[in-house]
Amino acid sequence: MMASFGHGTRRHPRSRGRTGLRSGPDRATLGIIGVICAVAGFFVLGIVLGPVAIVCGWLAMGRSWAGSRPATAVVALVLGAIDTLLAVIWLAGATGPGYGMF
C-alpha cells in the first residue's frame, strides 16, 4: 500500500508519554548543576550560589516532595541550604562589633 500526500504510514509518531515540550533542561542536568553550584558556593559567593543550588535541586525533584527523588537533586537541595545558612551566619558575624574602625 502506498502512502498518499498528507497521510503517512505512521499515524502516531510519538507515544503518549513523550508528547511534552522538550525545550528545557532535564531533571538530571538540573541536579548536577545544583550540586556544582552548592560545592562552589562553599568557596565563593555562597549567598548567591546557595539559593541557586536550592532552586536547581527543587526543580530537579519535580517541584514536589512526594514520589521518587533523584539523589543529585536531594544533595543539591541540602548542600544549597547549608551553604546559604553558613553564608548568612558569616555575613551576620562580619557585621558585628569588632570589625569596624572604632
Side-chain angles (χ1 to χ4, degrees):
M1 177 185 241
M2 217 162 109
S4 61
F5 291 109
H7 299 289
T9 56
R10 293 179 64 195
R11 295 197 180 241
H12 303 288
R14 290 183 142 189
S15 65
R16 200 176 280 259
R18 298 184 56 193
T19 56
L21 295 176
R22 304 284 290 170
S23 59
D26 61 346
R27 290 182 181 179
T29 304
L30 281 173
I32 292 170
I33 290 171
V35 169
I36 290 171
C37 287
V39 171
F42 283 115
F43 302 106
V44 292
L45 294 173
I47 197 70
V48 175
L49 293 176
V52 169
I54 292 172
V55 169
C56 286
W58 178 253
L59 291 175
M61 285 176 31
R63 292 184 270 168
S64 70
W65 292 106
S68 64
R69 296 179 208 102
T72 55
V74 176
V75 169
L77 193 71
V78 170
L79 287 181
I82 293 170
D83 190 20
T84 304
L85 182 66
L86 289 177
V88 167
I89 291 171
W90 181 77
L91 284 174
T95 58
Y99 284 100
M101 290 185 64
F102 299 108

